[in-house]
């Protein structure tokens, strides 16, 4: 018995009224599998829902055309099934489209005018340039004129003078012919009245109802207006070549392409240097984390400006000591120490909100996260149990952490389990910011640039080294009072490192 | 003259109907338990033969199969949308089978089960969802009005129709279908007020499937829906919507009362939409899987099957036969759907008015001429 092969490809349908794409979450069949009608083939997630797509035919899976995780346009073939010549519950052979499995033009999934693929709802994905269907020759302008406006919607139409042909004044001319009654067509009549009113305003600008209106609105159909707006083309600079001086799509295209309007090119979609970067990897992770954090934890940010002159002096002295040989004694080290000391006094700041358990988790140790800019993007490695480290050890740990991060060798374990974070925006020369919490944490401190500033010191204006701290905290966990005390304490340590002895 | 010792007196708005205000009595009329055991209810008895029971089962099973096939066809891109009745089969078959031939049903867009009992061809319903027509059946011949997508509007149509029946002196009733969400609509309340004022022969059959798309019932009503009827001045009754026998008995009684001139009744068929609101909806976003599992235990078809087999009313051969019939129906629906021709473009002018107006005829002619001006074929 000869087995005829009939390959048919199933195109991603619009499963939810007007969708244009869907992501294949997972395949439920593999190449070589035998499938029956309505057997689930794959799971697809759209903007509206995650659904299973059942097989329209019985047969054998020949090819899966996209991997799981791919976003696919509606109307694109996603799987090829060999129906073996038998529809297996599918449409009877007479009803089947051509042998190649392509639905006939006009059928669902088939080609449609304008190069689109016919789908049941909406227009479906555009695969080629839109193109008008050719008109039969002999369809004269006069015939068109009678075909459209011939219908009479209003009163007294029969004895109305004939509507102008292409040679006569256009329906919506820049100087409307008020003698002929316009065609009543939905809101167009209103639009025309507004236009006439605007023209009158032009003639008598003193009334000033339409301020800023320079001349008549150039004639163009709404899709063309939108098209021009998207391309940044000013319609008032164009001369329409369409019926009645109407600006056509081709006119807009010519304006973009042609050298006659060099000013029209830059801006919008047509820019020469535009680059589109796929969102993936660290960027994708960062985006997801920031959105999750910003929209789940109610953020409060407080600011404190601190005179850190004494700290900077201490920094010089410490750097000269043998304990700190080989490690960097940076201002960040002092900020880290200040945060650790403050967290020791106010452990609630070093905590997490557990939504599922409806509990606040106060951490037993501080895993101090340091936001690090790396070639791959932002990562936040943390120093585990940083509170137990002596200052030289903390300095070494900080140095190692930043080196590892910059080299792109940070282990995943080093990026999880953080409990509080410092972001050192000062290294980029900025004063402060409103940091977004690392997800799962309740506080983040931004450390600004240390600058020489005029500062009131002991009753006199002196040049002092001043920095700004910004603390964002999760208001579900940390109240204003607690956040303020934490920030003030950290600031006090930086202002007067000796005060740390009191902690 | 005694001092003010009056307490709030509860006045029964409908003599004879129990005052359901306080405390809340959420009585559920049930004749078949979820386990398939037949129970009796003092107000609603049902004498039913084995043939009728089997026939009810056949309706439930075939309608469910139709619904599943339509959902699959939508997922394959063959229907624009589908509103699934999964889980509500008993409410619909029970209500539909309670109707007399001369009664008129006013459905929403989900009453496929009622359509089935009125002899409407499933393909005539499907053609609407494929977008090739506005519903292919004859509402007068079938006693089943066209689907109404505007939420609640059909309750006004039903009430107006019922008032017409009254004026004709006809011994028929109108059965207005609505969902729980529709009870929040103004026109539904207006319809009930009019129905009460004129004692119109209309029965409001509300399938409380627990969700107005994603909004749970608790968000819409502080009282059980059937208790609202008291405010309009007619009886309200809550029936187990997954019990086809109870729905049949309660709806029969309400329609009989309406035909006899006793005015409207509100029936709350307490059921559950086991699928999505429509194929465009994802219920996992607003309800828990555990809830669905709970309702699966009250499945309307499973309980009748249990009752039939336990009582020896139907054997394995019967169930196998129904399954084969369902397969045939599904195949017919599938091929019939795929073979549906696209309507001629000019057909959209044909059913705007019962009688064509000169203006519309002119428009149609112009449109045909315009289409003919293209070189390609007719579409």
């Amino acid at each position: 018995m000869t087995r005829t092969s009939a390959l048919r490809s199933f195109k991603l349908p619009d499963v939810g009224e007007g969708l244009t794409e869907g992501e294949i979450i997972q395949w439920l069949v593999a190449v070589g599998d035998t499938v029956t009608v309505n057997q689930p083939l794959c799971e697809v997630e759209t903007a509206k829902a995650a659904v299973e797509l059942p097989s329209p035919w019985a047969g054998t899976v020949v090819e899966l055309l996209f991997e799981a995780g791919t976003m696919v346009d509606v109307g694109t073939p996603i799987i090829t099934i060999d129906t073996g010549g038998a529809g297996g519950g599918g449409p009877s052979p007479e009803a089947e489209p051509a042998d190649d499995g392509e639905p006939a033009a006009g059928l669902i999934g088939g080609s449609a005018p304008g190069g689109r693929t016919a789908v049941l709802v909406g227009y479906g994905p555009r695969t080629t340039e839109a193109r008008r269907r050719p008109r039969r020759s002999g369809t004269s302008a006069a015939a068109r004129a009678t075909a459209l406006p011939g219908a009479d919607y209003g009163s007294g139409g029969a004895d109305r003078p004939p509507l102008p042909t292409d040679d006569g004044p256009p329906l919506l001319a820049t100087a409307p012919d008020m003698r002929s009654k316009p065609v009543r067509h939905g809101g167009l009549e209103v639009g025309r009245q507004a236009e006439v009113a605007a023209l009158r305003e032009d003639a008598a600008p003193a009334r000033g109802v339409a301020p800023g209106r320079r001349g008549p609105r150039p004639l163009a159909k709404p899709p063309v207006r939108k098209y021009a707006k998207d391309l940044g083309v000013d319609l008032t600079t164009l001369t329409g070549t369409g019926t009645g001086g109407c600006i056509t799509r081709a006119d807009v295209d010519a304006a973009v392409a042609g050298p006659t309007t060099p000013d029209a090119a830059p801006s919008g979609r047509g820019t020469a240097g535009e680059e589109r970067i796929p969102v993936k990897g660290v960027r994708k992770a960062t985006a997801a984390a920031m959105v999750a954090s910003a929209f789940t934890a109610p953020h409060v940010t407080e600011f404190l400006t601190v005179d850190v002159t004494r700290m900077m002096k201490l920094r010089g002295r410490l750097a000269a000591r043998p304990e700190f040989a080989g490690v960097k004694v940076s201002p960040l080290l002092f900020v880290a120490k200040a945060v650790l000391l403050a967290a020791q006094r106010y452990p609630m700041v070093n905590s997490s909100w557990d939504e599922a358990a409806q509990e606040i988790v106060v951490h037993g140790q501080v895993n101090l996260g340091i936001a690090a800019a790396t070639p791959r993007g932002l990562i936040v490695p943390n120093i585990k149990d940083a509170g137990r480290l002596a200052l030289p050890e903390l300095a070494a740990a900080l140095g190692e952490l930043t080196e590892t991060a910059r080299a792109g060798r940070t282990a995943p374990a080093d990026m999880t389990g953080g409990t509080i974070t410092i972001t050192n925006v000062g290294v980029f020369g900025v004063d402060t910011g409103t940091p977004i919490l690392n997800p799962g944490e309740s506080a983040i401190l931004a450390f600004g640039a240390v600058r020489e500033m005029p500062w009131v010191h002991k009753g006199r204006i002196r040049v002092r080294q001043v920095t700004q701290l910004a603390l964002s905290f999760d208001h579900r966990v940390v109240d204003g009072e607690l956040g303020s005390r934490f920030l003030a304490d950290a600031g006090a340590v930086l202002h007067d490192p000796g005060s740390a002895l009191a902690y | 003259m005694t001092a003010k010792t009056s307490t709030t007196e509860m006045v029964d708005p409908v003599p004879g109907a129990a005052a359901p205000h306080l405390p809340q009595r959420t009585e559920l009329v049930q004749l078949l338990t979820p386990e398939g055991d037949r129970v009796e209810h003092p107000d609603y008895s049902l004498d039913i033969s084995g043939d009728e029971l089997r026939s009810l089962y056949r309706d439930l099973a075939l309608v469910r199969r139709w619904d599943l096939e339509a959902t699959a066809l939508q997922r394959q891109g063959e229907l624009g949308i589908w509103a699934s009745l999964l889980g509500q089969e008993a409410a619909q078959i029970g209500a539909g089978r309670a109707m007399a031939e001369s009664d008129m049903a006013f459905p929403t867009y989900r009453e496929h089960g009622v359509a089935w009992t009125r002899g409407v061809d499933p393909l005539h319903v499907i053609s609407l969802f494929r977008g090739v027509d506005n519903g292919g059946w004859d509402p007068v011949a079938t006693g089943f009005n066209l689907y109404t997508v505007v939420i609640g509007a059909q309750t006004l149509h039903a009430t107006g129709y019922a008032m017409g029946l009254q004026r004709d002196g006809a011994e028929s009733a109108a059965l207005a279908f609505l969902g729980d969400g529709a009870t929040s609509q103004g026109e539904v309340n207006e319809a009930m007020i009019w129905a009460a004022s004129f004692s119109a022969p209309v029965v409001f059959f509300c399938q409380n499937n627990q969700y107005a798309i994603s909004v749970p019932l608790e968000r819409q009503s502080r009282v059980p829906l059937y208790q609202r009827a008291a405010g309009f001045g007619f009886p309200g009754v809550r029936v187990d919507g997954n019990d086809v026998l109870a729905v049949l008995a309660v709806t029969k009684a309400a329609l009989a009362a309406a035909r006899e001139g006793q005015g409207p009744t509100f029936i709350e068929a307490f059921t559950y939409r086991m699928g999505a609101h429509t194929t465009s909806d994802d219920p996992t976003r607003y309800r828990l899987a555990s809830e669905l599992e709970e309702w699966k235990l009250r499945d309307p078809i499973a309980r009748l099957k249990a009752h039939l087999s336990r009582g020896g009313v139907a054997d394995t051969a019967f169930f196998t036969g129904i399954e084969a019939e369902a397969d045939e129906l599904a195949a017919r629906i599938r091929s019939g759907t795929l073979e549906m021709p696209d309507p001629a473009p000019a057909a959209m002018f044909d059913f705007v008015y019962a009688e064509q107006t000169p203006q519309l005829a002119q428009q149609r002619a112009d449109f045909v001429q315009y289409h003919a001006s293209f070189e390609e074929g007719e579409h």
Side-chain angles (χ1 to χ4, degrees):
Chain A
M1 180 175 160
T2 44
R3 187 179 172 282
T4 48
S5 163
L7 297 184
R8 308 187 64 170
S9 39
F10 178 41
K11 296 178 176 182
L12 181 69
D14 173 6
V15 293
E17 291 179 281
L19 297 170
T20 56
E21 60 180 11
E23 184 182 347
I24 297 173
I25 301 294
Q26 60 164 328
W27 284 104
L28 305 171
V29 294
V31 171
D33 282 3
T34 304
V35 294
T36 56
V37 172
N38 293 347
Q39 177 179 334
L41 296 176
C42 61
E43 201 183 332
V44 170
E45 179 154 29
T46 69
K48 289 184 177 175
V51 299
E52 283 181 354
L53 297 186
S55 175
W57 313 294
T60 311
V61 177
V62 175
E63 193 182 1
L64 307 179
L65 298 164
F66 290 98
E67 304 226 334
T70 319
M71 193 64 99
V72 181
D73 281 344
V74 167
T76 312
I78 55 172
I79 183 173
T80 310
I81 294 174
D82 182 356
T83 58
S92 59
E94 311 89 71
E96 300 223 8
D99 281 336
D100 57 0
E102 285 295 315
L107 292 182
I108 304 310
S111 63
R116 290 171 186 270
T117 304
V119 292
L120 266 171
V121 182
Y123 293 102
R126 173 193 294 276
T127 50
T128 62
E129 279 300 300
R131 181 177 54 84
R132 272 188 176 278
R133 279 195 289 163
R135 303 290 290 266
R136 289 187 205 279
S137 55
T139 311
S140 67
R144 282 203 298 277
T146 53
L148 178 66
D152 172 33
Y153 305 85
S155 55
D159 50 355
R160 203 179 54 194
L163 276 137
T165 63
D166 281 4
D167 302 327
L171 281 177
L172 280 175
T174 46
D177 179 1
M178 294 303 288
R179 289 165 302 173
S180 68
K181 191 180 172 206
V183 174
R184 201 186 294 264
H185 192 264
L188 201 60
E189 172 79 352
V190 177
R192 168 154 183 186
Q193 280 168 356
E195 194 159 332
V196 170
L199 281 172
R200 286 193 185 136
E201 291 307 325
D202 260 12
R207 262 181 269 171
V209 177
R213 179 55 86 70
R214 274 287 163 264
R217 201 163 167 231
L219 292 177
K221 289 170 182 170
V224 177
R225 287 188 190 285
K226 166 85 168 69
Y227 185 59
K229 192 179 171 190
D230 289 347
L231 294 179
V233 174
D234 180 2
L235 287 178
T236 57
T237 63
L238 303 190
T239 309
T241 60
T243 311
C246 204
I247 296 166
T248 64
R249 210 177 173 83
D251 293 336
V252 177
D253 284 336
V256 171
T260 46
T261 53
D263 296 340
S267 94
R269 203 168 48 177
T271 55
E274 184 183 78
E275 188 191 359
R276 300 189 70 90
I277 301 162
V279 175
K280 55 186 182 186
V282 175
R283 173 51 49 203
K284 195 168 184 174
T286 303
M290 291 300 101
V291 168
S293 175
F295 294 103
T296 53
H299 284 58
V300 177
T301 307
E302 292 188 331
F303 305 94
L304 181 69
T305 308
V306 192
D307 172 1
V308 293
T309 313
R310 285 180 200 162
M311 178 199 93
M312 296 303 273
K313 283 180 181 162
L314 175 63
R315 177 193 175 206
R317 292 202 300 276
L318 287 183
R321 294 179 65 93
E323 295 93 321
F324 290 90
V327 297
K328 196 175 168 195
V329 184
S330 63
L332 178 63
L333 173 62
F334 293 91
V335 175
K337 191 67 190 174
V339 164
L340 290 169
L341 289 168
Q344 208 175 307
R345 291 189 95 183
Y346 303 107
M348 275 297 283
V349 174
N350 186 51
S351 60
S352 297
W353 178 271
D354 187 345
E355 178 68 29
Q358 287 296 304
E359 289 171 339
I360 291 166
V361 185
V362 183
H363 300 293
Q365 64 182 47
V366 179
N367 294 340
L368 182 67
I370 305 292
T374 74
R376 291 190 305 138
L378 171 70
I379 62 168
V380 189
N382 60 71
I383 301 168
K384 298 285 186 299
D385 201 357
R388 74 186 150 78
L389 300 178
L391 202 60
E393 293 171 325
L394 186 60
L398 274 174
E400 194 185 316
L401 174 143
T402 41
E403 277 313 304
T404 313
R406 284 197 188 123
R409 287 185 283 105
T410 304
D414 291 334
M415 290 188 276
T416 55
T419 61
I420 192 166
T421 295
I422 296 171
T423 175
N424 185 6
V425 296
V427 294
F428 304 111
V430 302
D431 290 324
T432 190
T434 55
I436 294 177
L437 292 167
N438 202 25
E441 302 179 16
S442 298
I444 180 169
L445 184 83
F447 172 39
V450 179
R451 298 187 194 283
E452 291 200 327
M453 301 267 282
W455 193 257
V456 177
H457 180 69
K458 293 179 180 171
R460 291 190 172 184
I461 294 175
R462 298 290 171 118
V463 174
R464 303 286 289 181
Q465 286 181 296
V466 174
T467 192
Q468 286 196 47
L469 302 177
L471 180 77
S472 291
F473 51 88
D474 183 344
H475 211 320
R476 293 176 300 182
V477 180
V478 180
D479 286 330
E481 187 202 11
L482 178 60
S484 305
R485 287 185 186 280
F486 177 90
L487 181 59
D489 265 22
V493 172
L494 297 180
H495 173 65
D496 179 8
S499 67
L501 291 174
Y503 289 7
Chain B
M1 193 91 176
T2 48
K4 290 209 276 179
T5 55
S6 73
T7 54
T8 310
E9 193 188 350
M10 306 306 288
V11 179
D12 193 341
V14 185
H21 322 52
L22 293 170
Q24 290 190 358
R25 309 180 321 154
T26 48
E27 276 191 1
L28 186 73
V29 178
Q30 194 177 66
L31 298 180
L32 197 60
T33 67
E35 293 74 34
D37 295 327
R38 187 77 163 78
V39 288
E40 292 301 326
H41 191 278
D43 299 335
Y44 299 98
S45 59
L46 187 71
D47 193 16
I48 190 161
S49 71
D51 273 350
E52 285 172 299
L53 283 173
R54 283 189 294 271
S55 153
L56 282 172
Y57 180 85
R58 176 180 173 272
D59 282 359
L60 292 170
L62 294 188
V63 160
R64 175 168 288 187
R65 186 55 189 272
W66 162 14
D67 185 72
L68 293 176
E69 197 65 21
T71 300
L73 283 165
Q74 198 284 335
R75 293 283 179 251
Q76 289 155 0
E78 300 296 345
L79 301 183
I81 187 172
W82 180 251
S84 168
L85 62 58
L86 193 66
Q88 299 176 226
E89 294 91 348
Q92 297 194 6
I93 297 297
R97 291 282 292 263
M99 296 175 75
E101 206 184 323
S102 60
D103 293 338
M104 182 77 179
F106 289 82
T108 71
Y109 44 80
R110 204 191 295 282
E111 265 65 76
H112 321 313
V114 185
W116 174 264
T117 64
R118 303 301 283 173
V120 174
D121 187 334
L123 286 170
H124 280 162
V125 175
I126 286 205
S127 63
L128 170 68
F129 290 91
R130 191 170 162 87
V132 300
D133 61 35
N134 297 313
W137 65 93
D138 181 343
V140 178
T142 56
F144 186 72
N145 196 37
L146 290 170
Y147 274 0
T148 301
V149 179
V150 176
I151 304 299
Q154 71 283 357
T155 56
L156 288 172
H157 308 156
T159 302
Y161 182 89
M163 289 166 65
L165 288 174
Q166 215 168 20
R167 278 149 188 74
D168 290 347
E171 276 198 22
S172 315
L175 186 56
F177 288 88
L178 65 150
D180 44 295
T183 60
S184 298
Q185 292 277 357
E187 52 265 66
V188 171
N189 290 270
E190 289 167 23
M192 291 185 186
I193 288 166
W194 275 83
S197 295
F198 289 87
S199 210
V202 56
V203 173
F204 297 98
F205 189 90
C206 174
Q207 287 167 77
N208 174 3
N209 68 15
Q210 315 299 331
Y211 288 90
I213 305 188
S214 59
V215 181
L217 183 72
E218 315 77 272
R219 202 91 54 82
Q220 302 213 44
S221 182
R222 291 191 178 190
V223 298
L225 289 178
Y226 77 96
Q227 292 185 359
R228 288 194 176 176
F232 293 100
F234 49 81
V237 55
R238 176 182 276 188
V239 59
D240 183 343
N242 287 11
D243 173 356
V244 69
L245 301 185
V247 174
L248 182 66
V250 167
T251 314
K252 264 188 171 170
L255 286 170
R259 287 187 213 107
E260 287 163 13
Q262 294 180 39
T265 303
F266 182 89
I267 297 172
E268 177 189 1
F270 199 76
T271 181
Y272 190 74
R273 191 190 76 213
M274 285 162 87
H277 170 71
T278 68
T279 44
S280 301
D281 170 46
D282 184 353
T284 61
R285 294 189 184 187
Y286 53 82
R287 65 186 195 194
L288 296 174
S290 58
E291 188 182 287
L292 178 62
E293 293 306 314
E294 209 172 288
W295 277 93
K296 276 183 184 168
L297 300 175
R298 304 175 200 163
D299 187 289
I301 301 184
R303 77 171 73 175
L304 185 58
K305 189 173 187 178
H307 178 64
L308 290 177
S309 25
R310 210 174 300 152
V313 185
D315 53 11
T316 318
F318 169 76
F319 293 117
T320 317
I322 294 291
E323 204 145 308
E325 198 182 349
D327 285 345
E328 275 169 41
L329 175 69
R332 183 171 83 82
I333 286 172
R334 171 164 292 272
S335 59
T337 302
L338 300 179
E339 285 164 15
M340 273 177 201
D342 281 348
M348 64 179 166
F349 294 94
D350 294 346
F351 302 105
V352 180
Y353 297 108
E355 288 168 14
Q356 194 74 297
T357 65
Q359 287 88 350
L360 206 57
Q362 178 64 45
Q363 255 189 60
R364 188 186 197 282
D366 291 341
F367 184 75
V368 168
Q369 191 191 340
Y370 172 72
H371 257 259
S373 71
F374 292 100
E375 284 177 1
E376 292 167 30
E378 263 302 307
H379 55 247

